[in-house]
Amino acid sequence: MRIGELAALVGVSTRTVRHYHHLGLLPEPVRLANGYREYRLRDAVALARVRRLTELGLSLDEIRDVLADDRGRELREVLLELDADLARQQEAIGASRNRLAVLLTETDLHPDSTISPDMAAVLRDLPAEGSKFAEIDRELLALMDTVADPADRARMLDLMRPFTEPDALARSHALYRRLDELADADPGDPRVAVLAADLAAHVPEEMATVIVANLDSVPEHLRPPGSGPVEDTEGRRWMETMHAEVSPAQVEVFRLVMILLKERM
Amino acid sequence: MRIGELAALVGVSTRTVRHYHHLGLLPEPVRLANGYREYRLRDAVALARVRRLTELGLSLDEIRDVLADDRGRELREVLLELDADLARQQEAIGASRNRLAVLLTETDLHPDSTISPDMAAVLRDLPAEGSKFAEIDRELLALMDTVADPADRARMLDLMRPFTEPDALARSHALYRRLDELADADPGDPRVAVLAADLAAHVPEEMATVIVANLDSVPEHLRPPGSGPVEDTEGRRWMETMHAEVSPAQVEVFRLVMILLKERM
DNA sequence: TAGAAACGTTGACGCTACGACAAGGTCAAA
DNA sequence: TTTGACCTTGTCGTAGCGTCAACGTTTCTA
């Protein structure tokens, strides 16, 4: 029997047979005078054995180990491990399909599959309307939605709910507009302190708690207890990471908001 | 934001980020004077988007297509296809686990996982007892068990059942011994025709039917209607492929058996 | 009997989605 | 000043073969 017949008999390619020779999974048979490999029935049996094991999901390395240790509980252990692995895969696939099912039912409304439907609803209720800072908030929300784990995500959605009510929404946009107006202002501008107070008042109790609890993720220069105007570079760089050009006055607003929220606790 | 922060924020390695740049999944951000990449929030959002899609099981190529065509039913089609694919995988894994479960309960009795438990039982009932031809039959059975599809496998097991009865077994071994005895005999030996007749008589009706129906898988020189002794090389090479050294007399026995089975129809 | 088609041989590169180096340059703290 | 934690590009490795390339052998056909 030559390599093509053998391969056809067992249902693999000749390349596969040679590959198994190369890895030592299948002994090299005798060669004819012309250099062709000459196989016998036992080779077909051995090859079929290897195939069965691969179809069970064993890696070729594992198969080599099994064939080496030949017979014994070694195989049993490998199979048990394999079964556990397959169980995990099944779970993972099931989870993926669940997410897919949700996406597929919602994808007509929101063709962006990279955010959850719940968050998509929130984002729809919080339009940016041309404000740079509103856009930042939207991006932050989208990011946290994809990055946070499900529990945090649910918590965050809870926190955002108050902002989707109509009059809260109107107030938000007024505040965004006042922030945008400070683009060319000085940090000492009288509007800064007023806006900071209004912003802090606009933050619901629960969200304020969360913000204060996470103050250490805010750069040093924006954090209370600090006094005096923010040094330009540091806080500004952080804010600009958030994608927009930020003026010193705007940076100062956020520093004051942080202080006010902290004091409210 | 530098690459390390970005990666940590989204939960991937820096290598992954650079890989996505290389594949064009993520735009290269501006470089600082020192050559470092400087990221902004939008990059984190984009990266998180890619991650979501990979976690859904899309390949990076598919993601690039989705991002290029951006928005639209394109994505929906990909997701539907993906879901079908995952369903297939689930089925395949389920089938594997079923086979594994069977194997794991039977593996104590038969530590060879490459043959089905049913066939293992048949092989246990058909010991070779030192006969070369019995060994060939065993190997053929093992091979067909791993290569054939389930329906054929079940059919084959049915066909083999008569041979596992005690007195059929005894008769089989007597015949195997007589075959072995012809190792050095001449094709014209008087025992040849007698043994062929006894062998043919030993084959149950159903199996004879199957053999005759598949005569075309038997090499030319062993097939009826032929007369006169088999030409040495062809049939012999085929028999030897079956792993044992075969004498011309033994080859002739099989040729006669084929003729007798055909006549019986 | 010649040529083509269908086999066989070895060797090398390609594919996925990065991980793990190497061999450097940059930057902040000790 | 040195150490350590970053950053840069580039290359090799992974699993299980598919798919050439470049060549020799066998077999069928005109």
Side-chain angles (χ1 to χ4, degrees), chain A residues 40-93:
Chain A
R40 297 204 161 164
L41 185 56
R42 69 162 71 88
D43 299 305
V45 174
L47 176 56
R49 218 164 106 88
V50 173
R51 282 317 302 196
R52 272 293 284 270
L53 291 174
T54 69
E55 281 157 17
L56 283 172
L58 292 186
S59 75
L60 298 189
D61 275 1
E62 290 169 326
I63 292 177
R64 188 172 40 198
D65 293 348
V66 168
L67 293 183
D69 275 31
D70 215 44
R71 321 291 167 174
R73 328 168 8 287
E74 161 82 13
L75 176 57
R76 200 182 157 74
E77 286 164 22
V78 174
L79 292 184
L80 280 170
E81 202 175 314
L82 176 62
D83 188 60
D85 207 50
L86 289 180
R88 277 192 294 273
Q89 283 188 38
Q90 271 189 322
E91 269 193 65
I93 291 181

Side-chain angles (χ1 to χ4, degrees), chain B residues 103-150:
Chain B
L103 281 178
L104 285 172
T105 63
E106 302 265 353
T107 198
D108 293 326
L109 304 174
H110 298 281
D112 187 344
S113 71
T114 62
I115 53 180
S116 69
D118 287 340
M119 181 56 80
V122 169
L123 289 182
R124 186 186 40 201
D125 291 343
L126 290 176
E129 291 190 2
S131 163
K132 266 198 294 197
F133 284 91
E135 186 55 39
I136 292 177
D137 281 351
R138 288 173 60 85
E139 289 194 350
L140 272 175
L141 285 173
L143 180 61
M144 297 183 73
D145 185 56
T146 68
V147 163
D149 59 279

Side-chain angles (χ1 to χ4, degrees), chain A residues 2-4 15 18 31 35-37:
Chain A
R2 302 193 305 205
I3 196 169
R15 181 66 178 83
R18 283 192 272 257
R31 303 290 185 122
Y36 288 13
R37 296 178 177 85

Side-chain angles (χ1 to χ4, degrees), chain B residues 2 22 51 53 81 89 99 113 115 117 124 167 185 232 249 265:
Chain B
R2 301 193 304 203
H22 188 69
R51 280 319 295 192
L53 292 175
E81 203 176 313
Q89 283 187 40
R99 279 178 293 172
S113 71
I115 53 180
R124 186 186 40 201
D167 55 330
D232 202 44
M265 290 295 100

